[in-house]
């Protein structure tokens, strides 16, 4: 999430093109929380809402000098159009990164460079899914992926997860149930490592089980792995792609291990899909930015990126610990996981409270979060919120949780005095 | 066109996902000319095929130094996620550029920064067009736009153009004819200035006429203007958008006036459409690259970009003249326009020759072009080729045309001896 304050949430009135838009655009609406974000981004507010990596420890000044040199020696390529599949040098560079998660058989030709993970999600959905097709996905789910699936009029069907990640049996049952309904199940979308927002990791036992089910029913797996190298104890897990090259499309990104400002991510796909991804990439953006790609390569070639990732791990662990401690200290009425990597804590708030309705009061109290409802496509999630510990310092995190505790305490008092403020809606049967 | 040699044109055989793709992906195929491009990009071949700008005269070494400074002082923003609508500073920067073409009423909030013009075409089609909707377009037509329309399963209906650009009467007749067929006509796609590939410019008389027809029938105009500032005599034309803010979506790019390596373009749209474009941009790529946008702003803020554009005009005029002279000298059997700006000459070859079938023999003779068939969606164009004069030096252009003349002369001899080598196909009724 970019937590973009610049998108007006106001509805456009008297739009002369109302009624002329494509069906897929009719459900596109400015998020209701955007107006709040404009306020949430004020410096006096502690934002536990955003997913921005903290970049203060990157060697950016030295990189700026290296870039200047690179542009002087390789400018003819850097400033020019490039290949729709991505720069061959960068496609080579990603191989040792993936090897850290046991992907050792990929070749540069299997790799497609995309304009950030978001574009990768867009391209794979574009080539695989007709309107009405089903994508199975862990719930709660990455909000950016939900947006893509919605924009292609795909039905997202939730599959339950627990502390060990996606539940294989629930995956298989969902396929069977959807097929009984006559639906075409195209993909499973999974974030196996340090899930956004749930913070959990798919266990090693479950990975081959999930793959076996995918093969059995010929369902493609879309493995989205932006956080896999950010395990706080340096632990990594073998990617699903490392166990199956034919049924997995792998997606990873430089946004969290280097920086998001270049918008560079990459995919690995089996040949038929890879070829269509390249054509879709060309149709969508012509080619990824050479300058962005060569900036990434300049960093990888000239700096100790593995040491930098180790440094990130320690920094994010410290922030996770700060949040976990503060929560234990002042929000014993809530429950949460203690994630072993990634950026997020998924907080269950006390019964009777509504994370979405409470948000304006939290921002008034100068703390921001994302309501759990943002991570479901079916109205669930008001009993949860996502707290990010990636960007603020440990001190700010502690302060933010203290403020949040004050808000929650006041909400609980209000509920006690006046009953639950929430509007009771229908209950959903699917999902967790 | 990137003339990307890195996309294999080989068909993937035994694809286990065959039959699983989205309908929109089924027609996506690697271009038949890609394999040839891999050969055409060899240094011994004079490529008159590509649309790459010549960048040798840009002050890139100084810009590299400025960039290094910018990254050191504004790195916190440059390396981070940005706004889905685009950096406010750059949205301000584009206003004086557009003022050169009489767009004086646009505000930064009307502007959306996109990841190259290609992405702009993708986004507007995504929000406006259902499968089966009609986009009217000048024929021949920019191949990248045809690819986008095809990928959204849009019916492209050709509208005739002549030396004065799109013919208004043909535009109106096409709307009426398509509506009679029960089709939903959503947009007119036009490149009014120095058209790719046709090289022509819509006359000043026709511009208000085209707008009036668009208003009368409530058809949106998509004005694609990458070459507008590259008139060889410094002439500019008032943009369609300058005459109508409600019915025109304007698209322009830095690729030809600065450099394409950053992939930065911009759109101006009426409020309702602009809001959906921002949401579509977020769904497609999350946000444009801050680093790319700030690179553009660094250039605009620190260099005399108007002087640079004047320099480009002189350089491209010299190349246009070299091509025109060489054609007059050695290809009197052909006919062509003499474009007053832009990158391309649209060459009519002698009757009986087939530009598509001739291409392998041209590449053997070490000269490359794009067959006219690439610019039609209906098999027309074999009697034309697009010759680019943007990238090669005047000497190389002259040499390339000489080689081409040799090829065409040999083809004509073969036709004389053995009859036309072309496979006679059905004749198309629509289009020019």
């Amino acid at each position: 999430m970019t937590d973009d304050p610049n998108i007006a949430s106001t509805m456009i009135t008297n739009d002369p093109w109302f009624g002329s838009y494509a069906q897929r655009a009719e459900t596109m609406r400015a998020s209701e929380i955007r107006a709040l974000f404009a306020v949430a981004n004020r410096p006096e507010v502690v934002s536990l809402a955003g997913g921005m990596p903290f970049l203060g420890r990157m060697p950016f000044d030295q990189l700026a000098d290296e870039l200047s040199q690179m542009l002087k020696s390789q400018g003819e390529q850097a400033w020019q159009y490039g290949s729709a599949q991505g720069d061959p040098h960068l496609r080579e560079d990603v191989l040792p990164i993936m090897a850290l998660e046991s992907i050792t058989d990929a070749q540069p030709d299997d790799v497609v460079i995309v304009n950030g993970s978001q574009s990768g999600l867009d391209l794979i959905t574009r080539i695989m899914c007709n309107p009405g097709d089903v994508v199975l996905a862990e719930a709660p789910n990455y909000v950016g992926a939900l947006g893509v699936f919605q924009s292609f009029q795909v039905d997202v069907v939730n599959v339950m997860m627990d502390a060990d990640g996606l539940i294989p049996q629930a995956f298989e049952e969902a396929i069977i149930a959807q097929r009984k309904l006559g639906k075409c199940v195209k993909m499973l979308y999974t974030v196996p490592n340090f899930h956004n927002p749930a913070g959990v990791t798919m266990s090693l036992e479950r990975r081959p089980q999930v793959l076996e089910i995918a093969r059995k029913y010929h369902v493609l797996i879309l493995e989205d792995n932006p956080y896999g190298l950010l395990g706080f104890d340096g632990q990594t897990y073998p990617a699903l792609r490392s166990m199956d090259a034919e049924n997995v499309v792998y997606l990873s990104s430089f946004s969290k291990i280097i920086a998001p400002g270049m918008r560079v991510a990459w995919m690995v796909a089996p040949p038929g899909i890879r070829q269509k991804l390249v054509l879709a990439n060309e149709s969508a953006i012509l080619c990824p930015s050479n300058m962005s790609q060569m900036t990434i390569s300049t960093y990888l070639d000239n700096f100790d990126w593995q040491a930098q990732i180790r440094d990130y791990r320690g920094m994010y662990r410290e922030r996770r610990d700060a949040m976990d401690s503060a929560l234990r200290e002042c929000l014993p009425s809530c429950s949460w996981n203690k994630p072993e990597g990634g950026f997020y804590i998924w907080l269950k708030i006390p019964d009777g409270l509504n994370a979405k309705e409470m948000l304006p009061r939290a921002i008034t109290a100068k703390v921001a979060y994302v309501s759990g409802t943002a991570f479901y496509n079916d109205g669930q999630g008001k009993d949860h919120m996502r707290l990010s510990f990636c960007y603020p310092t440990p001190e700010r995190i502690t302060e933010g949780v203290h403020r949040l505790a004050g808000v929650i305490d006041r909400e609980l008092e209000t509920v006690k005095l006046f009953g639950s403020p929430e509007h009771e809606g229908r209950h959903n049967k699917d999902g967790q």
Side-chain angles (χ1 to χ4, degrees), chain A residues 90-215:
Chain A
L90 184 59
R91 287 192 272 122
E92 192 90 47
D93 276 346
V94 301
L95 304 185
I97 300 174
M98 292 192 288
L100 298 175
E101 294 174 274
S102 307
I103 300 174
T104 53
D105 62 333
Q107 300 299 316
D109 197 43
D110 302 322
V111 177
V112 183
I113 307 293
V114 292
N115 187 51
S117 280
Q118 188 72 23
S119 188
L121 296 172
D122 182 88
L123 298 177
I124 188 70
T125 308
R126 179 191 295 237
I127 68 167
M128 296 307 299
C129 297
N130 290 313
D133 282 354
V134 166
V135 170
L136 302 176
E138 294 148 347
N141 205 333
Y142 170 52
V143 61
L146 286 178
V148 169
F149 298 143
Q150 184 184 43
S151 84
F152 284 98
Q153 300 164 280
V154 166
D155 289 351
V156 177
V157 173
N158 295 335
V159 179
M160 272 182 62
M161 56 198 298
D162 61 19
D164 287 328
L166 184 85
I167 301 170
Q169 194 186 343
F171 173 36
E172 182 162 20
E173 286 169 2
I175 297 171
I176 293 168
Q178 289 300 313
R179 292 210 168 150
K180 267 198 189 142
L181 291 170
K183 303 292 283 186
C184 183
V185 180
K186 281 287 174 72
M187 297 195 293
L188 169 71
Y189 173 69
T190 176
V191 181
N193 299 320
F194 318 125
H195 186 272
N196 174 7
V200 301
T201 292
M202 192 189 293
S203 70
L204 289 185
E205 294 71 32
R206 286 186 180 177
R207 293 182 186 224
Q209 295 166 12
V210 167
L211 285 165
E212 199 185 322
I213 295 164
R215 283 189 293 266

Side-chain angles (χ1 to χ4, degrees), chain A residues 330-348:
Chain A
C330 50
L331 275 171
S333 59
C334 296
S335 57
W336 63 93
N337 61 325
K338 186 176 176 183
E340 293 171 356
F343 281 10
Y344 309 108
I345 279 182
W346 182 237
L347 189 80
K348 166 80 175 63

Side-chain angles (χ1 to χ4, degrees), chain A residues 51-342:
Chain A
M52 296 194 304
F54 181 81
L55 303 175
R57 287 154 78 145
M58 282 287 291
F60 281 134
D61 281 1
Q62 298 94 295
L63 180 55
D65 290 330
E66 295 285 345
L67 278 186
S68 175
Q69 290 309 309
M70 180 277 283
L71 288 169
K72 287 173 187 174
S73 62
Q74 301 175 67
E76 201 169 333
Q77 181 185 348
W79 302 107
Q80 197 49 277
Y81 289 113
S83 146
Q85 186 169 357
D87 181 27
H89 183 86
L90 184 59
R91 287 192 272 122
E92 192 90 47
D93 276 346
V94 301
L95 304 185
I97 300 174
M98 292 192 288
L100 298 175
E101 294 174 274
S102 307
I103 300 174
T104 53
D105 62 333
Q107 300 299 316
D109 197 43
D110 302 322
V111 177
V112 183
I113 307 293
V114 292
N115 187 51
S117 280
Q118 188 72 23
S119 188
L121 296 172
D122 182 88
L123 298 177
I124 188 70
T125 308
R126 179 191 295 237
I127 68 167
M128 296 307 299
C129 297
N130 290 313
D133 282 354
V134 166
V135 170
L136 302 176
E138 294 148 347
N141 205 333
Y142 170 52
V143 61
L146 286 178
V148 169
F149 298 143
Q150 184 184 43
S151 84
F152 284 98
Q153 300 164 280
V154 166
D155 289 351
V156 177
V157 173
N158 295 335
V159 179
M160 272 182 62
M161 56 198 298
D162 61 19
D164 287 328
L166 184 85
I167 301 170
Q169 194 186 343
F171 173 36
E172 182 162 20
E173 286 169 2
I175 297 171
I176 293 168
Q178 289 300 313
R179 292 210 168 150
K180 267 198 189 142
L181 291 170
K183 303 292 283 186
C184 183
V185 180
K186 281 287 174 72
M187 297 195 293
L188 169 71
Y189 173 69
T190 176
V191 181
N193 299 320
F194 318 125
H195 186 272
N196 174 7
V200 301
T201 292
M202 192 189 293
S203 70
L204 289 185
E205 294 71 32
R206 286 186 180 177
R207 293 182 186 224
Q209 295 166 12
V210 167
L211 285 165
E212 199 185 322
I213 295 164
R215 283 189 293 266
K216 180 173 170 188
Y217 295 95
H218 198 53
V219 170
L220 186 68
I221 293 183
L222 175 55
E223 178 177 27
D224 187 6
N225 186 35
Y227 308 105
L229 294 178
L230 295 178
F232 300 138
D233 300 314
Q235 77 282 30
T236 55
Y237 304 94
L240 294 166
R241 168 60 181 75
S242 74
M243 306 170 190
D244 186 333
E246 262 203 3
N247 298 277
V248 179
V249 171
Y250 177 83
L251 172 61
S252 192
S253 167
F254 291 107
S255 291
K256 273 75 179 182
I257 57 171
I258 302 179
M262 279 79 67
R263 317 300 306 120
V264 181
W266 74 94
M267 307 181 84
V268 177
I273 295 177
R274 186 259 300 150
Q275 194 181 52
K276 288 197 186 289
L277 283 174
V278 173
L279 293 167
N281 211 19
E282 188 173 32
S283 178
I285 63 164
L286 208 56
C287 59
S289 159
N290 264 0
M291 191 173 155
S292 289
Q293 295 177 86
M294 292 167 76
T295 298
I296 298 282
S297 287
T298 298
Y299 171 73
L300 293 171
D301 295 349
N302 292 283
F303 294 84
D304 187 349
W305 56 269
Q306 299 214 43
Q308 183 60 49
I309 289 174
R310 284 194 294 275
D311 181 69
Y312 272 144
R313 286 170 181 155
M315 181 188 75
Y316 289 128
R317 179 176 46 212
E318 194 189 345
R319 291 168 186 219
R320 186 270 324 257
D321 287 344
M323 184 172 277
D324 185 64
S325 297
L327 288 169
R328 276 190 284 124
E329 184 199 334
C330 50
L331 275 171
S333 59
C334 296
S335 57
W336 63 93
N337 61 325
K338 186 176 176 183
E340 293 171 356

Side-chain angles (χ1 to χ4, degrees), chain A residues 358-373:
Chain A
M358 201 174 93
L359 185 54
R361 295 184 286 279
I363 289 174
T364 304
K366 301 194 177 58
V367 60
Y369 57 82
V370 181
S371 164
T373 48

